[in-house]
Amino acid sequence: DLLPSDSLPRSSLWLSDRGPAAVSPPLLRPRFTLLYYPLADGRESDGSTAFLSEKGRNRVALTGRKEEMDRFLAEIPGLVVKPGQSLARLATLRIGGPAERFVEVTSERALVGLLTGLARLDLPFQLLGLGSNVLAPDAGLPGIVARLGGGLKRIRIRGLRVSAGAGAPLSLVARKASAAGLAGLEALSGFPSTVGGAVFMNAGCYGTEIKDVLRSARLVELSGRRRRIEVADLAAGYRS
């Protein structure tokens, strides 16, 4: 059994196209996810954007928004903040400008604090997996781009049960399970995905899907609400 201890509905290799800041045109859907956000007239040289149309007010609005973001992020223990992190360095295609604020989330408590605050402040947000087949704009992305790390990448094996955080690479989980004498993940060992991404899209190939070895998942919703659900309640289908 594979038991992800921490998972997010939107923590995925191919970022969800259900939010306002990610879209996959039909012709590209099988291969890439294109990330974008509507831009206003003003833009800083580092690719950051302002959300007021009057050019004379853009710099003031941008500065105030950055300060608000920095105060918000500084209040949450367990976040590693990297302003201006190059998204190209985090993507396999090496494409993309800077994230206005890149955040590594190292614990479930930090994740809950981040999502709760994002819902309150209405800041642009993206959750990035391992960065495979992701295209980000050269101008970068405004708001916060997060990746799960620390304890959210932990892998534990106890008897016949594997517990893995949503940020753990699926290939590493498969190798560790095999080394422990556990079968079932061999067909999925080549996926360049996190465990959370695999659960979100019900990753599968060669006749095996993640739902076939999944027992339950602990979720953190975008509102910050935490809950655990059994695999039957996921209503997993083909790549969903």
Side-chain angles (χ1 to χ4, degrees):
D1 291 336
L2 175 64
L3 177 61
S5 58
D6 302 279
S7 183
L8 263 180
R10 290 188 63 200
S11 62
S12 61
L13 168 65
W14 296 276
L15 296 180
S16 170
D17 61 357
R18 298 178 184 178
V23 64
S24 290
L27 293 179
L28 296 179
R29 191 179 298 274
R31 296 182 180 177
F32 303 109
T33 290
L34 305 180
L35 304 182
Y36 79 99
Y37 203 88
L39 304 182
D41 292 338
R43 176 178 295 168
E44 292 289 304
S45 60
D46 65 357
S48 300
T49 59
F51 296 97
L52 296 178
S53 59
E54 299 87 344
K55 291 184 179 180
R57 298 173 57 192
N58 276 335
R59 185 175 298 277
V60 175
L62 180 67
T63 301
R65 186 167 147 276
K66 283 186 175 181
E67 291 176 351
E68 181 182 36
M69 266 197 302
D70 289 339
R71 286 195 300 269
F72 159 60
L73 295 174
E75 292 173 354
I76 304 174
L79 297 183
V80 180
V81 183
K82 300 178 182 179
Q85 168 69 51
S86 169
L87 294 173
R89 291 178 175 270
L90 306 177
T92 58
L93 297 174
R94 296 297 183 259
I95 293 175
E100 189 172 7
R101 293 295 182 269
F102 177 79
V103 176
E104 181 180 351
V105 186
T106 64
S107 69
E108 182 179 313
R109 181 179 179 182
L111 181 61
V112 171
L114 177 64
L115 293 176
T116 302
L118 286 170
R120 184 180 73 253
L121 298 174
D122 194 28
L123 292 170
F125 174 67
Q126 290 290 344
L127 185 62
L128 183 66
L130 297 183
S132 179
N133 296 348
V134 172
L135 299 177
D138 290 338
L141 290 174
I144 297 170
V145 178
R147 173 177 275 181
L148 304 184
L152 298 179
K153 295 175 64 176
R154 187 175 296 124
I155 301 169
R156 298 187 183 95
I157 299 178
R158 298 174 180 173
L160 300 178
R161 177 174 293 188
V162 178
S163 175
L170 183 60
S171 59
L172 180 60
V173 176
R175 290 198 299 271
K176 285 184 174 291
S178 177
L182 302 179
L185 286 173
E186 298 82 10
L188 306 178
S189 61
F191 269 82
S193 168
T194 61
V195 169
V199 172
F200 175 80
M201 67 175 293
N202 188 32
C205 63
Y206 305 120
T208 299
E209 295 178 319
I210 197 74
K211 68 177 178 62
D212 299 329
V213 294
L214 181 68
R215 180 169 180 176
S216 66
R218 182 173 173 81
L219 308 179
V220 181
E221 298 178 349
L222 290 175
S223 64
R225 177 192 175 202
R226 288 180 276 190
R227 62 191 177 101
R228 182 182 295 276
I229 60 176
E230 301 300 313
V231 63
D233 298 324
L234 286 173
Y238 181 77
R239 303 300 175 264
S240 65

